[in-house]
Structures are given as structure tokens and as C-alpha cells.
Amino acid sequence: MGSLSRGPRAQSCWEQKFGAPRQGALAPDARGLLRLELRDGLDAEHATDGLEGYSHIWLIWLCSLNGHQATNSKVRVPRLRGGRAGIFATRTPFRPNPIGLSLVRLDRIDGATLHLSGIDLVNGTPVIDIKPYVPWYDAPRPLAGEQPPLGGVRVPSWVPGAESLRLEVSFTSAAEEALSLHSNHNSTRLLEGEALKSTLRQSLEADPRPLYRWRRQQSGKESVAEYELQVDGMLASCRFERNCDGSENVVVTSVARLTS
Amino acid sequence: MGSLSRGPRAQSCWEQKFGAPRQGALAPDARGLLRLELRDGLDAEHATDGLEGYSHIWLIWLCSLNGHQATNSKVRVPRLRGGRAGIFATRTPFRPNPIGLSLVRLDRIDGATLHLSGIDLVNGTPVIDIKPYVPWYDAPRPLAGEQPPLGGVRVPSWVPGAESLRLEVSFTSAAEEALSLHSNHNSTRLLEGEALKSTLRQSLEADPRPLYRWRRQQSGKESVAEYELQVDGMLASCRFERNCDGSENVVVTSVARLTS
């Protein structure tokens, strides 16, 4: 056993790991496409018949950017700023079997192409299964005496919730200008109109910095925290700033078209 | 790519496919165990550190009872009584990549053993990944203007909901007696006390009959609808009866210890 067909590669506005949100829910405006190509004997349009009736689907995918399986039983948790938890207590892509699970919104189906939003997959990620989201099966049901909607659901205190702190994001006027030019001249990309700006904001609000660089900055080893983020064919430069009260914010300083 | 380590095999009260519910949510009293054995270099107790803080987990597993991958793009849907839908619009185990996804309750962790309830896996199913359930990521979030808890979530009308019709289940006095004897002399099985009876009831309420046999009975080709169901070391015999008004009910006629 153990052999899987690789499945179609997702097209996504996330061009690289940095900036892609930890889960799709963190960037609801992010967009992607999945063009199904199935093995001989299977027909993609038949295989998705009825799927258009669902608003949300699960993607099960391969953590293909890792290059290797887990070599440690624990990983550092971004939200714990270095605290560690067991690999099975987190969604880390470094797992014994490097498989990812993402809930995404299914906007529409066009032939054999699924149009998705709220996606966290990096462009080119192989998707190995698609399942419909069925609330009755996929959301915990309260036991007798528990209150819905989340009666009886428990997560550890270090897991970020809806109320989780988000960084404040602002744009320089140069960046604003470049974004509005892009939205006017962009008919072939995944993010149309204002969606590039809001997707960029959603990515930065959730603080995509890798832990080791965040630590270098906190400890003063790295004075300027400039990052570059690729989204949907654009390169955004941004700067993480530390406020007097210890809180942080992000400024998008420039946005330019990626030349490939 | 494509090679996965098989992962631990789940122990489950469901001894065979027949009777195992279509999803764990349908039989909340069903019980199972997962004894983790990880590859060299990984430690199961470290890998689950922090997992005890979650009430629910995802199991990603291999549909190992099929023996083959999907050869058709559509499958017959039990609830449609023969109507068909695309494989990706259903949770059928006959998929291009035969991978299953189940939400189960994590009752407790004992060393490297996870104690689970609300399980739909058949005994011996290989589990390839475990992920914590995080409501913020794993339940669709309402968009602006939609009402929680399920604002904006859409499923096709043929998908069973909470209000879905369930068969009425009764027990003969012989079956009742055998079940109470079992619950008094059962300290080594997964279902203790009243749990065997309630699990049996939950399985039958959801109508586990395969479609082709249901049809034979409807068409009069099969007059007596007797079924045997194995749960947690017990063999239950049951009879599906048709009422005057066309509705159906199930009677558990006898329960006996499985001799292996």
C-alpha cells in the first residue's frame, strides 16, 4: 500500500510559503483554482456532479514544499512564540505522513475547474482528495445538556481563536497607488479589483513571520524587519514596526509586478 | 512521491463494514482505540503532547476494505435510494485516492493510546494522520451579514441533516436479556455497560443496509430481511420490517457472543 496518485496541482494566489496563511480561514479573500485531471476511465465533470450544491469543501493535499517527513516529535508553535507542542497537537506540515487538510469555500464549478476562495495552499500544491463539507458530520455535535453551536468543543488555551490579536496593517501611498493600478489592469489573475489588497492585509494581520526571524528581531540581532511577499503575480515589500507599548504593526511600503 | 507510512491500525467496536455508520456522528456511543506506533526517531507520547487539550480530532485514514480505487466517476447514494452523484460530491470510499476523513471525540489519552468515541472506522483500519479540531479553522465562518452558526453553509437537498428520518429500533426480550448479561460480564471490551445497546441502536437507526439488498426487498425479490451485525465481539441478528403505512422498523431478535 501507500501509493497515491498525485492528483491535480492547485493554482493559488499564494506564490510561496511566506505570506500564505496558516489556514484558509485567516484569508477569506484569497483565491485559487483546481483543474481536475483524473486517471483514465474517470471523468472530472461526472466526478463533481452534485458538488456545486455545497458551499464548502475539504481539500486533502500533500505538504510538497517540505521535502521530508517529520524528524521530530514536537514542533515550535508560532503562537507560543517558541513554546513546543506534539506534532499531532498542531497543524504543522512536518508530520509522519505529510498530509494537509483545508476547508475552503467553493465559489463555482466551471467544467472541470473548481473556483475556490479562503485558500491556504501554495501555488502548485498537489491535491489528493476533495470531499464535501457536511455540517452534520464535520462539526462536533453538542451532547445532551451542552449548548450549541460549540457545546462541548474544547481547544487548548494556546490555540488562537476568533478574538485572536491581529497586527494592524497600513499601506504607504506608493503602495496604494500600485495596488489600484494593478486592480485596473488585471483581468488574467486570480485576485480582481480590491481583492489583492484585502488578501495582502489578511495575510499580514495574521503575522506570517517565521519564528526564528521574529526572535532575531525581538532580541535585537536583526534591526530592520523588512519582508517581501509574493501574492498573485505581485511582489509586496513590508516592514514590521515595534510600537512604544511593545505592540507591533506592519506597513506595506511598495507593491510591484513580479517579473518572471 | 506517493508513498505513505501505513500508520497505526484503529481498534474499533465495528468489526465489519456492515453496521459501521456512514460517519461517526451517527453513532456517538461507538468506541475505539488508537495505539500509536511511530517510525524510528519519533516518540508517540511526545508527538501527542498538548493533544489532550482538544475535545475532538480528525482521523485521516485509508479505505483499506475496498481493495481498489474508484473505477467509476459516479456512485449510487444510499439516501437517494439509487440516485447517483459524482464521487467528489459524496464521502464514498471508492475514490481516486481512497482516503477517509472522520471527526471523532477524543475522550482521553493514556500513554501512547488515544481513547475515542463517535467513531466510524472498521476495526483494523490504518490511520495515516491525526489533526486537532480547531473550530476557527474547521467550521465555515459566516461572511458579513450571514447568521451564525451555519450562516452561508449550503448543502444539496439530498444530503441528510440533523432532522433526517431514522428507523425505529426495538429489541426482543431475548435480545434485551443477552445484552444485559453482556454488560454485566464485559470488562475487556470497548463498549461497557449500556453502551453496546445504544451503539447497536444508533447503527440501526441510520439504516446500514446496502442499497442492492434494500432494493431486492422493496421489489419483493427478497421476502425476509434478516441481517447479522457484528459489534464489539457480539453478533446481533435483526429483522427489517415494513409497516402498513410503508415506513420501516428494525427488531433486534437475538444477541450472542461471537466465537472466534
Side-chain angles (χ1 to χ4, degrees), chain A residues 57-108:
Chain A
I57 58 176
W58 295 107
L59 300 182
I60 300 180
W61 45 278
L62 291 172
C63 308
S64 54
L65 289 178
N66 291 347
H68 66 85
Q69 298 176 320
T71 52
N72 282 305
S73 307
K74 296 195 183 194
V75 287
R76 299 199 180 273
V77 178
R79 293 284 167 163
L80 282 181
R81 292 303 192 198
R84 304 205 302 164
I87 44 180
F88 291 131
T90 78
R91 298 292 193 104
T92 175
F94 297 97
R95 320 181 72 75
N97 281 315
I99 290 178
L101 176 67
S102 300
L103 182 63
V104 299
R105 198 173 274 261
L106 176 61
D107 295 322
R108 65 191 169 88

Side-chain angles (χ1 to χ4, degrees), chain A residues 163-238:
Chain A
E163 71 299 335
S164 171
L165 189 67
R166 312 203 109 204
L167 296 182
E168 197 190 299
V169 180
S170 59
F171 296 81
T172 62
S173 50
E176 296 266 14
E177 209 168 304
L179 282 167
S180 82
L181 261 174
H182 173 82
S183 67
N184 289 333
H185 296 92
N186 178 29
S187 57
T188 58
R189 306 293 313 180
L190 289 164
L191 301 176
E192 292 164 30
E194 286 289 299
L196 177 62
K197 188 177 176 185
S198 56
T199 301
L200 200 50
R201 179 188 295 279
Q202 289 159 357
S203 166
L204 294 170
E205 279 176 343
D207 195 353
R209 288 176 293 174
L211 186 63
Y212 75 97
R213 284 201 60 191
W214 178 86
R215 285 178 141 178
R216 283 170 62 90
Q217 197 189 349
Q218 295 298 309
S219 65
K221 282 181 190 146
E222 191 171 71
S223 56
V224 188
E226 304 273 7
Y227 290 79
E228 285 186 338
L229 198 157
Q230 296 179 20
V231 190
D232 202 32
M234 303 295 281
L235 180 73
S237 302
C238 48

Side-chain angles (χ1 to χ4, degrees), chain B residues 69-82:
Chain B
Q69 298 176 318
T71 52
N72 281 305
S73 307
K74 297 196 183 192
V75 287
R76 299 199 181 274
V77 178
R79 293 285 167 163
L80 283 182
R81 292 303 191 195

